[in-house]
Amino acid sequence: MTLPVIEVCEVSRRYDDGPPALREASLTVRPGEAVAVLGPSGSGKSTLLNLIAGLDRPDAGTVTVDGVRVDRLGETGAALFRRSRIGVVFQFFNLLDDLTVSDNVVLPARLAGTGRREADRRAAELLELLGIDRHARAYPGRLSGGERQRVAVARALVNRPALLLADEPTGALDTAAGEDVSRLLTTLNAEGQTVVVVTHDLALARSCTDRTVRIADGRVIEDVRSSRAVAPEAVR
Ligand SMILES: Nc1ncnc2c1ncn2[C@@H]1O[C@H](COP(=O)(O)OP(=O)(O)O)[C@@H](O)[C@H]1O
Ligand SMILES: [Mg+2]
């Protein structure tokens, strides 16, 4: 039996004196899975993702990622762990506008201790794989939303993470660019990348994941294996 990449066990999280954002939520994700987390706005999806990424700490329960108790790490430990083992993609890209596309991708590799030459090589390889190598020396501000999200995905992958997390990655994109990013996540998963994507976008969930977890009111209310949308010629 392979060890899970993510094991979230009965986590609860409450901000200040508001209602609980998560109530004893549990989720296990195995290597190679693609999981969509769906739910209405305010249901706790980002809170759950942030706990998995070690960006936040639960009030109760445990979070284990790639064998490490993330909920027990301090801020620095969590940052180091995230840098080496988890890639995160956000709705609004969060690229550094003063760095070129290539340097945005290189940076996390350099921070993780990869040599300049190897980091450059890895970044170039990813930019080519994601079809944005011609923009390597441009600044993110010159790129379309879809291209920026590809850069963010390249950056998330540069340290070969055990886990790729994406929070509404198509939320700021038009339909065509959204489909593009959705195809990209599908391809990465087909190559073995474990992916967890939070989304409102049912088409994204259907096309790029094989499991759907629904959250409502801070609780996991459904966890089902979905039959992925399959191209007609692949049916027989
Ligand atoms: N930093 C925060 N401070 C206070 N309340 C927050 C914070 N982040 C989220 N919340 C609240 O927690 C609940 C869940 O939010 P969130 O996880 O962002 O939901 P979703 O991503 O599903 O839209 C919401 O009621 C939201 O208002
Ligand atoms: Mg959210």
Side-chain angles (χ1 to χ4, degrees):
M1 215 42 180
T2 48
L3 266 161
V5 179
I6 300 176
E7 194 148 33
V8 172
C9 195
E10 300 189 348
V11 294
S12 298
R13 175 74 170 102
R14 177 180 186 165
Y15 300 98
D16 307 318
D17 45 4
L22 285 177
R23 310 169 196 248
E24 299 180 349
S26 298
L27 175 68
T28 301
V29 177
R30 302 209 169 269
E33 277 195 295
V35 178
V37 178
L38 295 168
S41 177
S43 56
K45 305 181 298 296
S46 294
T47 301
L48 178 64
L49 215 72
N50 290 343
L51 291 175
I52 294 169
L55 289 161
D56 187 20
R57 217 99 329 120
D59 300 318
T62 64
V63 181
T64 308
V65 177
D66 202 25
V68 172
R69 277 288 298 274
V70 175
D71 59 290
R72 282 196 184 146
L73 297 173
E75 223 167 278
T76 313
L80 289 172
F81 179 70
R82 191 163 50 247
R83 189 181 289 154
S84 64
R85 304 307 295 142
I86 307 177
V88 193
V89 175
F90 300 97
Q91 179 174 2
F92 296 106
F93 329 125
N94 296 14
L95 298 171
L96 297 172
D97 290 330
D98 301 340
L99 295 184
T100 63
V101 162
S102 173
D103 285 340
N104 264 281
V105 179
V106 162
L107 184 64
R110 296 288 289 145
L111 290 172
T114 308
R116 177 89 226 181
R117 198 189 269 227
E118 172 58 18
D120 283 344
R121 198 197 55 72
R122 173 83 178 137
E125 174 187 284
L126 280 168
L127 291 175
E128 189 181 339
L129 184 75
L130 303 193
I132 38 174
D133 44 323
R134 66 184 182 286
H135 299 302
R137 304 183 71 167
Y139 288 86
R142 303 280 302 273
L143 273 52
S144 71
E147 289 165 343
R148 279 186 234 190
Q149 198 58 300
R150 282 173 174 263
V151 177
V153 172
R155 178 182 59 180
L157 294 175
V158 74
N159 291 328
R160 304 180 196 279
L163 173 64
L164 181 64
L165 296 175
D167 194 348
E168 310 263 10
T170 65
L173 304 178
D174 61 46
T175 309
E179 284 171 359
D180 224 39
V181 166
S182 150
R183 265 194 299 275
L184 172 57
L185 295 177
T186 311
T187 307
L188 292 169
N189 175 250
E191 288 165 1
Q193 179 69 54
T194 308
V195 179
V196 174
V197 53
V198 162
T199 185
H200 275 343
D201 182 346
L202 275 176
L204 169 66
R206 237 176 274 133
S207 70
C208 90
T209 72
D210 37 34
R211 196 177 141 200
T212 304
V213 171
R214 279 182 195 278
I215 300 203
D217 243 351
R219 289 197 175 85
V220 174
I221 56 163
E222 190 182 277
D223 184 344
V224 290
R225 219 149 266 293
S226 36
S227 55
R228 198 180 285 217
V230 190
E233 67 269 24
V235 169
R236 262 170 297 163

